[in-house]
Amino acid sequence: MAQSHIGIQMLLIKPVIEKYGLYETLRRCSEIGYHYIEVSWMALTPEVIQDLLKAQEDFGIRVGAVSTVLDAYPNYPVHSLHADLEQLIAGCKAVHCPTVRIGILPSQCVVDYDYLMEYIREIDRYGAILKENGIDLYFHTHHMEFVKMKGKYVIDHIKDNTENIGFELDIHWIQRGGENPVKIIRRFNGRVRLLHLKDYRISGEKFFRDGFDGQYVEFAEVGEGNLPVRECVEAGLDCGCEFFFVEQDDTYGRDPLESLKISHDNLVDMGFGHLF
């Protein structure tokens, strides 16, 4: 089995990249202790590839995964499988990236079973094409994959009807979907190479402000919420996970680099410093 690593999902550092640029942001991340990234919210343009290769040479940054979608999404600048497959494959090879991940499920998949099954067939077909080019395709889950259709979770329909894709599970979204992250990771043994580490926190301030029916669940720095993070990482290691990406969709005004350091230090305290 390949060595495992903890890295960064670039959604978390998107505001920092917008402020300082990609290369300088990766320098700052490397100083915290991160050397692996999942490229998101940007296509692999020649300029991006140049910055990634320079960061690889100067700071030891490695690309573990690159984001894609089946069809282009408005305002989500990544290569799509339908329109940009050749560019995606060439970009991954240029930055020595072994995996591509689909970031989100189309909303129609959770209400239209026939649409879901057609979508599953299509992504599995692309998984086979990518595999022929030495790249593995993974599917990132949120909470909507825990909708039940025909008596079974959407995530299980995807698992049971594909041969050429794996899964990028997300411990926060599994929890929000009403399931146990450790249990789900272990149930996907052998098909989870990528795992998102994102904690789950209940905000007392939001509860006080908005009352019982308010939306007071928050994304949290790893180790600052309610999830059994150590057990999740251990389950991922047992089940063949190669890349653990720290992600936080919102830091609620805190500097993302500060949030990254908190997650890094907590994971080191849990005994996972050797994975950075």
Side-chain angles (χ1 to χ4, degrees), residues 40-111:
S40 184
W41 289 93
M42 62 176 59
L44 291 175
T45 63
E47 295 77 17
V48 167
I49 290 172
Q50 182 179 359
D51 278 352
L52 290 173
L53 291 177
K54 186 168 173 48
Q56 177 176 321
E57 181 179 350
D58 294 348
F59 316 129
I61 298 294
R62 298 292 185 271
V63 180
V66 168
S67 297
T68 189
V69 288
L70 183 59
D71 294 295
Y73 273 69
N75 303 316
Y76 187 43
V78 301
H79 293 308
S80 74
L81 294 171
H82 272 161
D84 311 301
L85 183 62
E86 290 184 5
Q87 296 98 311
L88 179 65
I89 291 171
C92 286
K93 289 183 176 180
V95 298
H96 316 294
C97 175
T99 70
V100 169
R101 41 87 70 175
I102 295 173
I104 192 167
L105 184 76
S107 58
Q108 192 172 345
C109 287
V110 300
V111 294

Side-chain angles (χ1 to χ4, degrees), residues 37 87 101 110 113 122 184 258:
I37 58 171
Q87 296 98 311
R101 41 87 70 175
V110 300
Y113 179 77
E122 192 72 347
I184 295 297
E258 181 184 349

Side-chain angles (χ1 to χ4, degrees), residues 210-253:
D210 299 332
F212 187 80
D213 294 325
Q215 299 296 316
Y216 41 84
V217 171
E218 288 188 345
F219 307 106
E221 291 79 11
V222 177
E224 298 295 311
N226 302 342
L227 293 180
V229 174
R230 179 183 286 107
E231 291 85 348
C232 288
V233 175
E234 290 171 348
L237 292 171
D238 290 345
C239 294
C241 188
E242 184 177 349
F243 296 103
F244 299 80
F245 293 115
V246 173
E247 183 184 36
Q248 194 173 342
D249 298 44
D250 195 335
T251 61
Y252 311 100

Side-chain angles (χ1 to χ4, degrees), residues 176-190:
R176 198 176 284 207
E179 272 287 0
N180 181 311
V182 176
K183 171 186 168 185
I184 295 297
I185 292 167
R186 293 197 178 279
R187 186 148 69 80
F188 279 71
N189 185 8

Side-chain angles (χ1 to χ4, degrees), residues 200-214:
Y200 181 104
R201 176 173 60 212
I202 301 298
S203 169
E205 291 182 3
K206 289 183 179 178
F207 176 76
F208 179 77
R209 183 189 68 207
D210 299 332
F212 187 80
D213 294 325

